[in-house]
Amino acid sequence: MITSRLRQLNRYREIVSLIAKYGYGYIIEEIGLRHLLTTKDKVILDFKEGNVKDYGSRLRSLIEELGPTFIKIGQLLSIRSDFLPAEMLLELEDLQDRVATVPISEIKETIIRELGYPVEEIFQEFNDDCVAAASIGQVHSAVLKTGEKVMVKVQRSGIHKVILTDLEILKDLSVLLEKRYKIAKDYHLSAVVNEISKSIKKELDYMQEARNTETVKTQFEGHNRIKVPTVYWDYTTSKILTIDAMPGVKITDRQITSMPIERKSKVADLLVEAFVRQIFVEGFFHADPHPGNLLYDCDREELALIDFGQIGRLTARMRFDATTLLIGLMKEDSSTIVKAIYRLAEVPPTLDESQFYDDIERIRKKYIHIPLGELNLGIAVQEVFSAAQHHNIIINSDLTMTAKTLITVEGIVKEIDPEINLLTLAKPYGEKLLIDRYNPANMGKRILENAETFSDSLTTIPGRMERLIDKLVEGEMKVDIRLLEMKELLRKFDRSANLVSFSLSLVALSIILLGMIIGKSFGEETFLTKIPIIEIGLAVAVVMFLRILYSIIRSGRF
């Protein structure tokens, strides 16, 4: 425990020193971590104060020096054209290729430790020069004893501990930034860091990546032009992944961008088909489609998808609603867009619905004069999600990942040929999705599924009510109320109390009137009956009633 805390403290100091070194010292000052700097670092911080030029270059250099965890985060940010300026994105894109390689001796030691045999006994050939170096591992080409050409991805030694330590520090820093910067709080930075942490932790397990690869492979079984590598399970562990060597070049390679327009259009169309099928039909998709993970074989005219460390998932319900959102965007229908968001997201009770609708309407009007063939679909979806986030509507992380994937694919399509548009290419697939949606058989299936779900809910209600009552009787009932909902809850309590007061006042008046009627009906006069007690009581009751009514109306909570 002490060793772990010391390692974390030392890493804290290293991160803070590097942040100051690259000119971001004002952040250190404002979140209160200056005390972690050495005297030398403080001098550097004071010297560089105010120097903000070459922001993107310094950010990339900082990330590279911070190490593998931050390189992975930088890679995730490099495809967020909605989040960072273009100049920064260009710098961060270099992180895809500029990663120091691991010595071959370490690679071979890991193979022996994981597979139980030296490289020479497992492979007929093994290339000591790596094909690609990533932040978590690196890839080597090889040939199995049985003759198959393969790619072997080997995890960097000790990377697991390094990444887990860095992720803990990042969580702490995100909380500090949210306390200091409103924009960090508005963008739920700590929640974003948690999502990134989950994603990176999954990438540390190559067995998970192997299972992802096989799942996507089944989606394109029988497809002549979209390929996914085969996993060799006998040579795969949590730290080693062995798959088919896929032929082809990076999809944005000059060989492709210099093709005639007809051939480029076929490449882009194949790419769009692959991702429309994964996202909107299968609901299980490649969530890191940067050009290095998409290979095109110019001779066979085949597209290969590789590296399934990051995966997005959409349930059938989410796919249905996501398609509704896209239909709303294409039809320029604000009501459809808003309804889709309500079904897709967690909407706070304090939402100003009219203001949110106005913001969606503003986005719609922004694109109203843009021809459908020129609309940037990914950016439009991201703008809708940003508007939702502005109103504290919580979008599911898989949906934001979907938007990110669409933006990335759209960017690759533009890089292949600026004249080609994603929405134009996707239109035939979208029309097919619409036909499938309103197919009577599919509609009947959805109705049946919803009926079954409703039926299941009805059958579980008595049991749940019984458990609820038992907890109330035993005093074990706990209520969890979020601060955001407290004001609305108190307002409803006030409204209920005012309604009760109003009702009781009406009852009191009714009793008095009834008493007057009964008194008159007896008709006998005595000393007491000569006193107009009922009239006096009625007058007092009316005055009190009017006073209560005035107070309730004035409070605005009736």
Side-chain angles (χ1 to χ4, degrees):
M1 181 69 180
I2 295 175
T3 304
S4 176
R5 295 300 297 172
L6 284 173
R7 184 172 66 247
Q8 191 180 61
L9 180 60
N10 290 334
R11 182 59 175 156
Y12 243 124
R13 290 184 183 278
E14 184 181 354
I15 290 171
V16 170
S17 297
L18 287 171
I19 290 172
K21 174 182 174 181
Y22 285 97
Y24 300 98
Y26 58 91
I27 296 176
I28 303 302
E29 291 276 14
E30 293 193 6
I31 64 177
L33 293 180
R34 187 184 173 98
H35 64 282
L36 290 177
L37 295 173
T38 64
T39 304
K40 178 184 175 182
D41 291 329
K42 289 176 182 176
V43 172
I44 294 172
L45 170 60
D46 294 335
F47 179 77
K48 289 201 170 187
E49 189 175 357
N51 180 15
V52 292
K53 69 178 183 178
D54 297 326
Y55 226 79
S57 176
R58 286 191 290 114
L59 180 60
R60 177 182 54 76
S61 299
L62 169 61
I63 289 172
E64 284 179 337
E65 198 162 346
L66 283 171
T69 312
F70 293 86
I71 289 172
K72 175 54 66 177
I73 292 169
Q75 289 171 352
L76 293 173
L77 289 174
S78 72
I79 53 178
R80 293 296 301 268
S81 56
D82 61 306
F83 192 72
L84 292 173
E87 296 78 7
M88 278 195 179
L89 293 176
L90 288 172
E91 289 289 342
L92 294 181
E93 281 174 6
D94 288 343
L95 291 169
Q96 307 286 3
D97 302 309
R98 295 184 184 178
V99 182
T101 59
V102 176
I104 189 61
S105 58
E106 286 187 23
I107 294 296
K108 290 183 176 180
E109 283 175 12
T110 301
I111 291 174
I112 293 172
R113 189 166 56 249
E114 290 294 313
L115 300 180
Y117 298 96
V119 168
E120 295 75 20
E121 293 185 28
I122 300 171
F123 302 102
Q124 184 177 314
E125 296 176 23
F126 189 89
N127 188 354
D128 288 352
D129 296 324
C130 76
V131 175
S135 56
I136 293 175
Q138 67 185 41
V139 181
H140 291 260
S141 60
V143 179
L144 294 175
K145 291 288 187 181
T146 48
E148 294 93 343
K149 292 181 179 179
V150 295
M151 292 293 175
V152 184
K153 181 153 73 168
V154 183
Q155 197 170 109
R156 292 168 180 263
S157 181
I159 194 65
H160 198 275
K161 285 184 179 178
V162 171
I163 286 179
L164 292 182
T165 299
D166 284 353
L167 291 178
E168 286 299 320
I169 291 170
L170 272 174
K171 286 180 184 178
D172 291 345
L173 289 174
S174 66
V175 172
L176 288 172
L177 287 168
E178 280 189 337
K179 288 179 179 178
R180 184 62 184 84
Y181 295 103
K182 185 178 183 297
I183 189 170
K185 187 176 180 181
D186 291 343
Y187 276 88
H188 307 286
L189 184 61
S190 56
V192 172
V193 168
N194 284 335
E195 287 301 323
I196 289 175
S197 296
K198 289 178 185 176
S199 177
I200 293 176
K201 285 175 183 177
K202 286 178 182 176
E203 287 193 60
L204 286 170
D205 183 3
Y206 287 172
M207 290 292 284
Q208 181 62 52
E209 183 176 342
R211 288 190 287 270
N212 294 342
T213 305
E214 285 214 330
T215 300
V216 178
K217 186 176 178 64
T218 60
Q219 295 175 2
F220 297 103
E221 244 173 350
H223 198 294
N224 294 326
R225 297 180 60 208
I226 300 176
K227 304 296 179 182
V228 177
T230 299
V231 177
Y232 292 89
W233 289 100
D234 290 342
Y235 310 102
T236 296
T237 70
S238 62
K239 294 182 180 178
I240 294 177
L241 174 63
T242 305
I243 59 172
D244 273 331
M246 305 301 289
V249 296
K250 189 187 291 188
I251 198 168
T252 53
D253 190 89
R254 183 167 173 76
Q255 285 186 50
I256 295 168
T257 56
S258 60
M259 285 179 176
I261 182 64
E262 296 81 8
R263 290 196 67 189
K264 285 195 290 189
S265 183
K266 285 182 179 179
V267 176
D269 186 61
L270 199 59
L271 176 65
V272 171
E273 180 188 354
F275 280 90
V276 167
R277 180 173 183 79
Q278 288 179 81
I279 294 172
F280 297 108
V281 179
E282 304 291 346
F284 188 92
F285 59 94
H286 196 314
D288 186 21
H290 68 75
N293 289 338
L294 305 167
L295 305 177
Y296 189 77
D297 187 334
C298 298
D299 296 328
R300 299 180 183 179
E301 295 187 336
E302 292 178 353
L303 174 68
L305 312 178
I306 62 172
D307 194 350
F308 294 90
Q310 291 181 48
I311 284 292
R313 294 175 177 82
L314 294 180
T315 63
R317 178 78 250 182
M318 289 167 72
R319 295 199 300 275
F320 185 90
D321 293 333
T323 306
T324 302
L325 175 62
L326 294 180
I327 291 169
L329 283 169
M330 289 187 278
K331 288 185 175 181
E332 299 171 355
D333 185 347
S334 297
S335 295
T336 301
I337 296 170
V338 169
K339 287 175 185 175
I341 289 293
Y342 285 172
R343 288 197 295 266
L344 283 166
E346 184 181 334
V347 181
T350 53
L351 174 69
D352 186 335
E353 294 184 13
S354 61
Q355 184 60 55
F356 178 55
Y357 184 91
D358 289 345
D359 287 347
I360 296 299
E361 183 73 2
R362 174 180 51 77
I363 294 170
R364 183 191 70 81
K365 287 179 180 178
K366 177 181 176 180
Y367 293 103
I368 196 169
H369 298 300
I370 299 176
L372 191 61
E374 296 177 16
L375 176 66
N376 289 324
L377 181 60
I379 299 298
V381 171
Q382 189 61 49
E383 283 200 42
V384 170
F385 285 176
S386 295
Q389 190 176 42
H390 178 71
H391 288 271
N392 294 318
I393 295 174
I394 300 174
I395 303 292
N396 184 290
S397 60
D398 283 314
L399 289 169
T400 56
M401 192 175 284
T402 304
K404 179 203 76 173
T405 301
L406 286 172
I407 290 171
T408 307
V409 171
E410 197 163 42
I412 292 171
V413 168
K414 289 290 183 186
E415 198 167 342
I416 293 171
D417 188 340
E419 301 301 318
I420 299 175
N421 180 266
L422 172 65
L423 202 53
T424 303
L425 293 174
K427 191 176 179 182
Y429 304 108
E431 289 171 350
K432 185 177 183 303
L433 287 172
L434 271 177
I435 293 170
D436 289 343
R437 167 181 281 201
Y438 296 111
N439 181 299
N442 291 336
M443 290 178 71
K445 185 180 177 182
R446 285 199 300 272
I447 291 170
L448 181 61
E449 288 173 351
N450 288 335
E452 288 177 352
T453 302
F454 182 66
S455 176
D456 290 341
S457 298
L458 282 177
T459 57
T460 58
I461 285 174
R464 290 179 179 178
M465 288 295 294
E466 187 176 351
R467 287 193 295 272
L468 179 64
I469 292 169
D470 287 344
K471 286 187 176 181
L472 283 170
V473 171
E474 294 168 7
E476 294 179 0
M477 190 69 181
K478 294 181 181 179
V479 181
D480 183 16
I481 302 175
R482 289 184 294 178
L483 290 176
L484 288 172
E485 298 171 351
M486 185 63 76
K487 187 176 180 181
E488 178 66 14
L489 188 61
L490 290 174
R491 189 187 71 79
K492 288 180 179 178
F493 275 141
D494 284 349
R495 187 169 180 266
S496 300
N498 287 336
L499 286 171
V500 171
S501 299
F502 181 72
S503 301
L504 289 174
S505 299
L506 281 177
V507 170
L509 270 175
S510 301
I511 291 171
I512 292 171
L513 289 171
L514 181 62
M516 290 178 66
I517 294 168
I518 293 171
K520 290 289 184 184
S521 65
F522 282 114
E524 295 181 6
E525 289 192 3
T526 64
F527 173 74
L528 290 174
T529 57
K530 290 180 181 179
I531 301 174
I533 188 71
I534 294 176
E535 287 81 357
I536 294 171
L538 175 63
V540 172
V542 169
V543 171
M544 290 178 65
F545 173 76
L546 292 174
R547 183 177 178 84
I548 290 171
L549 184 62
Y550 172 73
S551 299
I552 293 173
I553 293 172
R554 190 177 180 185
S555 72
R557 294 176 179 173
F558 185 64

